[in-house]
Amino acid sequence: MRDTSAYDLQRSETTAKDPLLRSLGRRIATLRKERKWQRAHLARRLGVPRTRLAFWERGQHQPPLSMLLALGRVLEVSIEELVEEELTNNPSGAMSARSS
């Protein structure tokens, strides 16, 4: 069993509160649900574990750029549409540097 350090707990709490990551996660979940896909279905199409997708949807981790591109392809949306809310709420387009 993995020993959870104070650093891991602090990092987890910080990422869960990041409004940009939460917004991106909500957008991914919304697009998935609009297609009536289960999380497992989208995860399988992306080639990632369902739990990793869950972290992205909850805003606990930022998907790497390669996964943002794959999400866009699979969900049939542009990257701009995928991060639409982030761009609206943060005109500079800056996202945090955290990734899973």
Side-chain angles (χ1 to χ4, degrees):
M1 187 169 149
R2 183 174 172 234
D3 181 30
T4 304
S5 68
Y7 171 78
D8 289 337
L9 290 174
Q10 181 182 9
R11 182 170 180 250
S12 175
E13 290 172 11
T14 302
T15 57
K17 293 179 182 176
D18 187 333
L20 294 175
L21 290 179
R22 281 197 323 262
S23 178
L24 175 62
R26 280 192 305 268
R27 185 75 177 136
I28 293 168
T30 299
L31 290 167
R32 174 181 59 79
K33 290 173 185 177
E34 284 175 358
R35 286 149 183 79
K36 298 182 178 13
W37 291 349
Q38 295 294 319
R39 192 176 280 153
H41 176 77
L42 178 56
R44 198 171 28 254
R45 292 196 60 184
L46 293 169
V48 298
R50 181 184 48 81
T51 53
R52 181 167 300 153
L53 180 59
F55 280 125
W56 297 341
E57 287 187 355
R58 288 192 304 254
Q60 293 176 310
H61 294 280
Q62 178 180 324
L65 179 58
S66 61
M67 278 295 116
L68 287 175
L69 295 170
L71 279 161
R73 271 193 311 274
V74 170
L75 295 169
E76 298 178 340
V77 296
S78 68
I79 295 300
E80 290 82 13
E81 290 174 281
L82 190 60
V83 296
E84 180 177 89
E85 235 176 285
E86 287 78 25
L87 295 176
T88 303
N89 294 333
N90 186 11
S92 71
M95 288 190 70
S96 66
R98 286 189 276 292
S99 65
S100 65

